[in-house]
Amino acid sequence: MDLLALADFNLVARHGGFGRASRAAGRPKATLSRRVAELEAALDLRLFERGGRSLRLTEDGRALYERTARLLTELDETAQAIASGGHSPRGRLRISAPLLFAQTAMGRLAARFSRRHPEVRLEVTTEDRAVDMVEEGYDLVIRVNPAADDSLVGRPFLRDRLVVVASAALPLPDDGTPWPAVVRGPIEPPAAWPVTTPAGRSQIRAAPVLSLSSMIMVRDAVLAGAGIASLPISLVSGDLASGRLRWLGDVEGPEIVLWTLYPSRRLLNARVSAFLESLREAFPTGAPEELAAFMAGRPASDARLAGGD
């Protein structure tokens, strides 16, 4: 495949027409049209639907554009880095992160990274769903306990655990009466939450009375006395240390692990490597204490966790 013709095809597809691409690149419209026609002939495919005043990608054209645009950008950035004689990170870095981590940590992480690497255009979006990295153009995704995927390379960088907490002002229920509970998700009938305490395993009876869509809202509602909740220890450690919340037990179940994932078929570019290094500096051991300290603006070396045990 002629890479120059492929680059011209991507230019036209990105700008939505030969005229606009010609003006943006300062190249003759006839040259761009000829190069795209040569590419179509070489591939034996029609890449554009040509109308009187409109130009749009065919299904094959869109698939080719989605698969090659990012690769061509990486080739161009690599050539620029080599030509400049350096290997400092530059270009766009697109990251997808889960809601809670994005709300509590990504702002500070992004600011620190941008100060250190000013030539990188960092873009962070919040997605709790499993995005398609290649199709949606992400360089790196952060996910909680991700399913195995042979097409991705991953490494864990943070651990957390769930605890049941209540406002210090919330009265203890009478014997046999369920605790009012705040949940993330649908409100369900009363249930027994299995927990572990220094006294051993036990159960806390909970009757959900309030459903909210984010963990931060759940924590705020618990602080306001709406009920008990199951929350990450990193999110509530400061409230436990201050006495605003009281610890009722550790939730039984698998550990919460945050992973960084990137496509295995690509070489790890300088931008991704630099961001992974930033995560290692922020969370050197990956313990919940480090995330709690980071959210409080303290260095990881000063991490202290005020739990219930």
Side-chain angles (χ1 to χ4, degrees):
M1 186 182 297
D2 186 336
L3 287 180
L4 293 177
L6 184 62
D8 285 344
F9 158 73
N10 274 267
L11 179 68
V12 174
R14 182 166 63 252
H15 289 283
F18 289 102
R20 286 189 288 269
S22 172
R23 290 188 292 273
R27 298 182 53 208
K29 178 179 176 181
T31 300
L32 295 176
S33 180
R34 176 175 56 82
R35 300 287 292 179
V36 170
E38 290 172 352
L39 181 63
E40 289 180 316
L43 296 175
D44 194 22
L45 291 172
R46 187 171 58 180
L47 301 176
F48 290 106
E49 295 283 2
R50 295 164 174 82
R53 285 183 168 271
S54 64
L55 184 76
R56 64 182 181 86
L57 288 164
T58 64
E59 185 176 343
D60 290 328
R62 182 168 301 281
L64 182 64
Y65 177 65
E66 290 175 349
R67 295 285 183 174
T68 60
R70 187 67 180 167
L71 296 175
L72 287 173
T73 300
E74 291 183 0
L75 283 173
D76 183 58
E77 291 170 353
T78 300
Q80 290 179 23
I82 293 172
S84 67
H87 300 283
S88 60
R90 64 182 63 195
R92 188 177 75 158
L93 176 60
R94 194 158 185 253
I95 297 175
S96 170
L99 178 63
L100 181 59
F101 185 73
Q103 289 177 327
T104 57
M106 278 303 297
R108 192 176 294 113
L109 282 168
R112 177 186 297 182
F113 181 85
S114 293
R115 287 195 300 269
R116 185 173 297 179
H117 304 287
E119 294 185 82
V120 177
R121 303 186 307 277
L122 180 59
E123 299 176 10
V124 180
T125 61
T126 298
E127 298 277 4
D128 279 332
R129 66 183 178 89
V131 301
D132 187 318
M133 291 192 62
V134 175
E135 294 295 336
E136 299 179 53
Y138 286 104
D139 299 285
L140 181 76
V141 298
I142 297 172
R143 286 292 170 262
V144 178
N145 295 349
D149 189 332
D150 292 338
S151 67
L152 300 177
V153 171
R155 61 182 70 174
F157 72 96
L158 262 178
R159 303 182 308 279
D160 213 336
R161 71 178 193 276
L162 293 175
V163 294
V164 179
V165 294
S167 167
L170 188 68
L172 291 169
D174 296 332
D175 289 344
T177 303
W179 290 82
V182 184
V183 296
R184 181 174 182 247
I187 292 181
E188 298 179 349
W193 292 359
V195 297
T196 302
T197 69
R201 300 173 66 183
S202 63
Q203 292 186 334
I204 296 174
R205 296 191 64 202
V209 296
L210 186 59
S211 172
L212 301 171
S213 63
S214 82
M215 288 290 192
I216 291 179
M217 286 196 292
V218 171
R219 180 199 60 188
D220 291 346
V222 172
L223 284 168
I228 65 172
S230 171
L231 290 166
I233 185 66
S234 61
L235 185 62
V236 296
S237 62
D239 299 312
L240 290 167
S242 69
R244 292 188 296 270
L245 293 179
R246 66 174 180 266
W247 175 86
L248 301 179
D250 285 358
V251 176
E252 292 187 358
E255 186 178 38
I256 300 171
V257 183
L258 273 71
W259 288 67
T260 52
L261 303 170
Y262 49 89
S264 59
R265 67 179 179 85
R266 295 182 186 168
L267 294 175
L268 189 60
N269 65 47
R271 300 182 300 279
V272 173
S273 294
F275 192 81
L276 292 176
E277 181 58 31
S278 292
L279 290 177
R280 282 191 289 268
E281 289 181 5
F283 314 113
T285 69
E289 294 89 342
E290 292 172 351
L291 178 55
F294 187 84
M295 289 190 292
R298 305 194 312 271
S301 58
D302 291 345
R304 296 291 185 270
L305 183 63
D309 52 329

